[in-house]
Amino acid sequence: MTQYDIALLPGDGVGPAVVDATVPLVEDVADTHGLTIDTTTYGWGSERYLERGSMMPDDATDRLAGHDAILLGAVGHPDIPDHVTLQGLLIPIRKAFDQFVCKRPSVLYEGVESPLRGYAGGDIDLVVYRENTEGEYADVGGREHRGRGHEVAVQSAVFTRTGVERIVRAAFEAAVRREGHLTNVTKSNAQAYGMVLWDEVVAEVSEEYPDVTVERLLVDAACMDLVRRPDEFDVLVASNLFGDVLTDVGAAVAGSMGLAPSANITHDERYPSMFEPVHGSAPDIAGQGIANPLATVLSAAMLFEELGEERAAETIERAVADQLADPSAARTPDLGGEATTAAVAVDLRERL
């Protein structure tokens, strides 16, 4: 029996609730497919920061490195600036384990209503490949003359040929497996160095994939077109910042942030990849027991897929699709229902 060791980082806000709802389902699926799942929970996050001044201990990545994968709930707290929580946990893990692929699918499921008119289940099915370790989120810059009238803040984006090429190549490979269409999203009309390098790398790599059609859009046009014609997109590739923006738009047009999973993938076998819902800590509903667990459940499906357990991943995806297509199924308020997080999870486990 194959055994996997999964690190759990429930984190903040609704994170613990959606992780708690997901883990029993993951264990059920694993058992069905002859797998064993061992989990270790790390209570790191904003509460630790408020008590001890850091989101996680100094040896956190050393401790996580021994796991096969990481399932993260959420990061963020209303009493702590977002840049503190993000830079204190999520981004250091991504960088330490070289999780350079952030893969975020947006799917309009049967039974889910898009805020856009005229779209039904299956009409929207796209995936964003977001560069995840450099770009606009590089920790390069600083502030001078703090608090004075002539204060200066410098924030530098960093684009390396290696960093751009590997995410672009991953996106092309995905396009080959899917519908053969890739959209390159930049802002090279205004950012003439990093973004122009990005465009040049896309053009170079595209020569190796003659069967992939490449569309080029500026990020403002891409956001507009994700609303205007989301059904025409297949694979999008973008920098750290632009990919972050595009995936929120994609989740919205696909019906709910509560259905948006995410994978932070490394290609280094020494390190684990990390899986998380896109919705974040949602402090406005934290503690109410109504957070949609399906984004975390679908992130767990991506976890199984990355471990090479495609049948387990498909089992989860099929159960989620069946539940969403059933008008009598439990639904959380983000999907127009009144069910609790726990009720949705119980219903989903029964469908397995």
Side-chain angles (χ1 to χ4, degrees):
M1 181 174 285
T2 304
Q3 179 174 329
Y4 294 107
D5 187 2
I6 309 300
L8 303 178
L9 297 177
D12 307 321
V14 301
V18 293
V19 169
D20 287 348
T22 299
V23 170
L25 184 145
V26 168
E27 293 172 341
D28 288 350
V29 172
D31 186 62
T32 298
H33 292 279
L35 311 172
T36 298
I37 298 292
D38 292 329
T39 61
T40 303
T41 301
Y42 296 96
W44 305 334
S46 294
E47 294 301 328
R48 187 185 194 281
Y49 179 87
L50 292 172
E51 294 174 1
R52 306 176 66 174
S54 63
M55 295 285 289
M56 58 185 184
D58 292 340
D59 66 345
T61 54
D62 291 336
R63 293 161 69 177
L64 292 173
H67 296 277
D68 295 305
I70 304 166
L71 182 64
L72 170 71
V75 178
H77 192 286
D79 295 334
I80 307 173
D82 287 341
H83 72 274
V84 173
T85 54
L86 194 66
Q87 295 285 349
L89 191 147
L90 186 58
I91 289 181
I93 293 173
R94 289 174 176 172
K95 292 183 178 181
F97 298 145
D98 201 23
Q99 295 168 347
F100 70 91
V101 174
C102 185
K103 179 181 176 183
R104 293 184 170 182
S106 294
V107 177
L108 179 59
Y109 287 92
E110 189 73 34
V112 176
E113 183 178 353
S114 171
L116 305 179
R117 293 194 305 268
Y119 292 97
D123 288 345
I124 301 172
D125 185 351
L126 60 92
V127 60
V128 175
Y129 274 69
R130 167 193 177 196
E131 200 290 315
N132 210 32
T133 59
E134 52 179 52
E136 303 89 348
Y137 290 8
D139 190 19
V140 177
R143 292 171 65 179
E144 191 63 68
H145 311 300
R146 285 177 179 260
R148 303 180 67 85
H150 58 293
E151 182 173 358
V152 177
V154 176
Q155 186 81 47
S156 296
V158 175
F159 293 93
T160 65
R161 177 170 287 273
T162 296
V164 175
E165 183 174 344
R166 62 185 185 173
I167 187 63
V168 167
R169 194 173 299 281
F172 270 101
E173 291 291 339
V176 169
R177 295 189 298 270
R178 288 172 54 95
E179 300 299 320
H181 186 275
L182 183 140
T183 303
N184 172 40
V185 181
T186 64
K187 190 63 177 173
S188 50
N189 61 336
Q191 297 177 316
Y193 301 119
M195 294 279 91
V196 170
L197 169 64
W198 183 290
D199 285 342
E200 291 172 354
V201 171
V202 170
E204 292 169 7
V205 174
S206 69
E207 295 179 1
E208 302 175 30
Y209 298 88
D211 295 331
V212 175
T213 300
V214 179
E215 177 184 22
R216 177 178 168 184
L217 289 177
L218 299 177
V219 65
D220 42 353
C223 289
M224 176 185 70
D225 282 349
L226 276 173
V227 175
R228 189 172 64 88
R229 54 179 184 95
D231 54 312
E232 296 181 19
F233 288 97
D234 180 24
V235 177
L236 298 90
V237 64
S239 66
N240 216 325
L241 174 62
F242 296 162
D244 206 358
V245 173
L246 291 168
T247 51
D248 276 14
V249 178
V253 301
S256 174
M257 290 290 288
L259 298 176
S262 179
N264 305 277
I265 301 171
T266 179
H267 289 181
D268 191 325
E269 294 181 356
R270 296 174 297 173
Y271 302 135
S273 295
M274 180 167 61
F275 305 84
E276 56 174 321
V278 174
H279 57 60
S281 61
D284 57 321
I285 61 170
Q288 298 180 34
I290 58 172
N292 192 339
L294 294 184
T296 309
V297 171
L298 290 168
S299 297
M302 297 178 78
L303 182 155
F304 275 123
E305 181 180 19
E306 187 60 27
L307 290 175
E309 302 295 346
E310 287 84 1
R311 291 176 59 228
E314 291 168 0
T315 297
I316 293 177
E317 291 166 354
R318 185 168 57 251
V320 170
D322 288 347
Q323 183 187 63
L324 292 172
D326 182 353
S328 66
R331 290 181 181 237
T332 45
D334 60 299
L335 294 177
E338 299 180 353
T340 63
T341 306
V344 171
V346 168
D347 177 85
L348 194 60
R349 291 182 71 186
E350 291 174 353
R351 293 173 189 273
L352 292 171

